[in-house]
Amino acid sequence: MARSKWKLKDYGSGWSANEISDDLNELSSEGWEMYKTLSIPESYEISRFPDKVPGLNDGDSVAMKFTLRVMLRR
């Protein structure tokens, strides 16, 4: 019985969608198949202007950074 080989690949905020796609296509051509993807939060930031009205209002923002972890096997 053959055992699978596993590889984890992390794509952080420095990767563009095209770069991720190109990298995954290259890994696929080497025989790797995507098994699972996970979104791992790195940071959250809320910017809120002082206002008497509670909650988020015009001009407020929420930003999130995350890493995409891809589990591959062959």
Side-chain angles (χ1 to χ4, degrees):
M1 182 174 177
R3 291 189 151 194
S4 296
K5 290 185 179 182
W6 295 91
K7 179 185 286 268
L8 291 178
K9 188 80 185 215
D10 288 342
Y11 299 100
S13 60
W15 288 79
S16 72
N18 284 335
E19 290 171 326
I20 294 170
S21 177
D22 290 345
D23 194 52
L24 290 173
N25 283 329
E26 184 177 332
L27 289 167
S28 177
S29 72
E30 296 170 2
W32 292 97
E33 68 178 56
M34 188 181 308
Y35 176 74
K36 191 176 203 175
T37 61
L38 303 165
S39 178
I40 303 169
E42 290 180 19
S43 66
Y44 297 97
E45 181 180 303
I46 298 174
S47 297
R48 186 172 186 284
F49 290 103
D51 197 320
K52 293 180 181 179
V53 179
L56 295 175
N57 300 294
D58 287 344
D60 297 344
S61 65
V62 177
M64 178 178 73
K65 290 184 182 178
F66 68 95
T67 295
L68 172 66
R69 175 165 288 168
V70 179
M71 298 172 68
L72 304 131
R73 72 175 172 190
R74 76 170 163 189

